[in-house]
Amino acid sequence: MSRLMHEMGTRALQLGIPLSVQLDLTYRCNERCVHCYLDHEDHGEMNTAEILGLLDQMAAAGVFFLNISGGEIFMRQDLFQIVEYARKLQFSVKLKTNAVMIRAAKARRIAELGVDSVQISLYSHDAVTQDEITKLPGSFKRTIEGARFLRDAGVKVTFANVLMKQNADHYKQVQALADDMGVGYTVDATITPMMDGDRSILNLNMDEQRLSGIMRDRSLLGDQADNMLAPPSGPTPLEEAYKTLPCSAGHTACYVSPYGDVYPCVQFPYKVGSVRESRFIDIWRDSPQLNEVRAIRVSDLQGCSSCVHGSSCTRCPGLAYLEGNMRGPSIQDCEKSYARTGVPSKNLQQKKLRTIPLALAP
């Protein structure tokens, strides 16, 4: 399957097709997670007709993978109407939810619609910690019940475990809970800044010791453990750097907000157009901002192509943009590379020097 996905991605890149889109239906949510990067007020969401029309446009543009997310998607009363229409258009649909509002009937309906999978946010095996993070009393109980309803209905379920100070020591237990329930598990050690640029929630990031333990945990790295834990392989060869794309954002994938704004990725809040003003395909093909993103190669990235981690770093252009420069480094990714290998990048070393008081700097 991974080979097929690679071939689909390569072909989509050659043809300029937006193979995958994340569509957020709403930023409203029944939880108030301490690390969430969204504004939960409704500032004029697209209505049902607008969304169904957008689905038609995306299908015509060649979109195949449709990730429907939020906010909490079940805050939309028209959710099943939207999913049903998406399936009629033959999208491969994945849903992201906290599952608090999922009971048996909804789980069966999701199964009947042939949804590919459902990703559920779960932060801890411990109800107290989960509820402290979500700020919703009883959220752990309801989330686990929702996951079981989906699993029992035959839906593929994965727990998505975002880690921060409050739950950094709980991931093994969440992983064990997923195994016990027969569902998938994925972990994310990245706290994303607010979409308006507010970086204060980055204070929730775990300390270096915990991050290092997670980045070196073979149970999380799977088949890639040996490659991921190998010493840095050195800079990206110059010829390769001139050709290499930073990631798929804006090339074979993009993100559409509840208000119709289009971005290269959900973690890359650089607006490239609005489907309320232009057709989706016209934005995809002709947006000057999107073409600016597409023009970037690894060779353009400040300090990255010559970095010792150049061949293995998972630098996110969206995080770099939120740090001030889409062509600059993502220090958060530099920190993860350092946690994994113990070898600091030049960008990370320079950042640390800038934070040392002048009297103490060497």
Side-chain angles (χ1 to χ4, degrees):
M1 186 64 179
S2 59
R3 180 180 177 182
L4 175 61
M5 290 288 291
H6 176 74
E7 291 175 353
M8 290 177 69
T10 300
R11 188 63 173 157
L13 184 61
Q14 292 170 344
L15 297 175
I17 292 174
L19 184 63
S20 176
V21 171
Q22 176 167 324
L23 172 61
D24 278 4
L25 300 181
T26 181
Y27 287 158
R28 291 175 290 132
C29 192
N30 49 359
E31 295 182 335
R32 288 294 183 271
C33 297
V34 296
H35 65 289
C36 187
Y37 54 86
L38 298 175
D39 170 6
H40 295 302
E41 297 300 320
D42 180 358
H43 299 289
E45 297 169 2
M46 289 186 287
N47 61 34
T48 307
E50 287 179 295
I51 292 174
L52 299 186
L54 175 58
L55 294 180
D56 284 329
Q57 292 181 43
M58 291 196 300
V63 175
F64 180 67
F65 297 106
L66 179 64
N67 300 318
I68 296 179
S69 184
E72 173 47 51
I73 57 176
F74 281 94
M75 300 293 283
R76 294 275 309 217
Q77 295 186 356
D78 57 358
L79 174 63
F80 282 125
Q81 182 181 355
I82 292 168
V83 175
E84 182 177 1
Y85 194 71
R87 292 295 296 128
K88 284 182 179 178
L89 293 174
Q90 298 187 328
F91 289 110
S92 173
V93 176
K94 295 182 179 180
L95 304 179
K96 295 183 180 181
T97 175
N98 57 39
V100 167
M101 299 171 71
I102 296 178
R103 302 292 92 185
K106 288 179 178 177
R108 289 193 297 269
R109 183 65 178 138
I110 290 170
E112 290 166 359
L113 288 170
V115 168
D116 176 79
S117 61
V118 177
Q119 178 177 296
I120 297 174
S121 300
L122 184 68
Y123 306 109
S124 179
H125 66 295
D126 173 64
V128 172
T129 303
Q130 172 82 6
D131 293 357
E132 285 178 347
I133 290 173
T134 65
K135 302 300 182 184
L136 179 66
S139 65
F140 175 81
K141 178 176 182 293
R142 298 280 290 188
T143 291
I144 294 299
E145 288 175 347
R148 287 186 173 129
F149 282 130
L150 288 165
R151 178 203 62 188
D152 294 346
V155 178
K156 181 181 177 182
V157 173
T158 297
F159 285 148
N161 188 194
V162 177
L163 298 181
M164 61 201 92
K165 288 179 179 178
Q166 291 90 325
N167 66 342
D169 298 324
H170 295 194
Y171 76 94
K172 285 188 178 294
Q173 294 95 322
V174 178
Q175 188 177 27
L177 176 60
D179 290 342
D180 184 60
M181 290 180 59
V183 304
Y185 175 79
T186 182
V187 66
D188 185 357
T190 303
I191 300 296
T192 302
M194 297 286 289
M195 291 190 75
D196 64 5
D198 182 353
R199 302 181 64 78
S200 61
I201 60 173
L202 296 185
N203 293 327
L204 297 173
N205 273 316
M206 68 193 87
D207 58 44
E208 286 187 8
Q209 183 177 358
R210 286 186 173 90
L211 180 61
S212 179
I214 290 160
M215 298 301 294
R216 299 182 188 193
D217 190 329
R218 287 181 172 271
S219 72
L220 301 177
L221 299 175
D223 296 338
Q224 297 298 313
D226 289 339
N227 291 334
M228 296 295 288
L229 296 175
S233 57
T236 305
L238 188 58
E239 183 177 346
E240 181 182 336
Y242 280 125
K243 301 176 182 177
T244 304
L245 304 176
C247 75
S248 64
H251 295 278
T252 60
C254 67
Y255 163 66
V256 183
S257 83
Y259 312 120
D261 296 326
V262 182
Y263 302 89
C265 171
V266 68
Q267 286 195 158
F268 197 162
Y270 179 50
K271 184 177 175 180
V272 302
S274 169
V275 297
R276 282 176 158 167
E277 300 171 1
S278 306
R279 295 189 308 159
F280 176 81
I281 190 62
D282 292 336
I283 297 169
W284 180 258
R285 290 176 177 170
D286 303 326
S287 164
Q289 295 84 1
L290 198 52
N291 285 326
E292 178 188 5
V293 171
R294 289 178 180 140
I296 299 173
R297 297 294 183 270
V298 167
S299 58
D300 301 319
L301 305 180
Q302 178 184 319
C304 291
S305 61
S306 61
C307 178
V308 67
H309 297 289
S311 299
S312 59
C313 179
T314 57
R315 174 197 173 274
C316 172
L319 291 176
Y321 174 76
L322 285 166
E323 290 178 24
N325 182 4
M326 70 173 80
R327 290 177 172 80
S330 162
I331 296 301
Q332 282 186 268
D333 288 317
C334 291
E335 289 170 344
K336 285 189 282 188
S337 290
Y338 174 59
R340 189 176 67 248
T341 65
V343 179
S345 67
K346 288 184 179 179
N347 285 321
L348 185 59
Q349 289 175 321
Q350 290 171 356
K351 184 216 172 187
K352 289 188 174 182
L353 280 175
R354 288 194 297 269
T355 60
I356 298 174
L358 291 178
L360 300 179

